[in-house]
Amino acid sequence: MKSLRWDTFTDLVAPFLVRLSGDAERNTDLEEAGLESLSLVELVAEIETKFEVEFPVEILNWGTFATVGTLFDTTVALLGDE
């Protein structure tokens, strides 16, 4: 099982949040912070590449991408499934 640091994760996610002012917090709403459908696809690809995980189709929904925290938790769970 690989571990994932919060700051490493938010450093990757933050550039996709074009309306974010300040630091990304667990409860930061990704859509309100500027994540749109095209940037979402790019972000998923970045996460999959950097952390060597694959998002199964069944979890590709807005619940997974509701907040920075939900996306972090999902990524951590994927890392643990390896």
Side-chain angles (χ1 to χ4, degrees):
M1 178 176 169
K2 299 176 188 176
S3 64
L4 177 57
R5 292 175 42 112
W6 174 256
D7 60 335
T8 301
F9 185 76
T10 57
D11 286 348
L12 177 77
V13 172
F16 292 91
L17 307 179
V18 295
R19 292 191 300 263
L20 180 67
S21 60
D23 294 332
E25 304 291 337
R26 285 195 61 83
N27 65 347
T28 299
D29 183 291
L30 291 171
E31 192 172 12
E32 288 179 10
L35 189 67
E36 297 173 348
S37 58
L38 181 57
S39 56
L40 173 61
V41 172
E42 294 171 352
L43 176 57
V44 167
E46 285 286 324
I47 292 171
E48 289 182 332
T49 300
K50 179 160 179 92
F51 303 120
E52 298 178 346
V53 297
E54 186 174 328
F55 282 79
V57 172
E58 59 270 10
I59 66 169
L60 294 177
N61 58 62
W62 281 112
T64 300
F65 302 96
T67 67
V68 176
T70 59
L71 183 54
F72 177 78
D73 292 343
T74 300
T75 305
V76 167
L78 292 172
L79 285 168
D81 287 344
E82 294 186 337

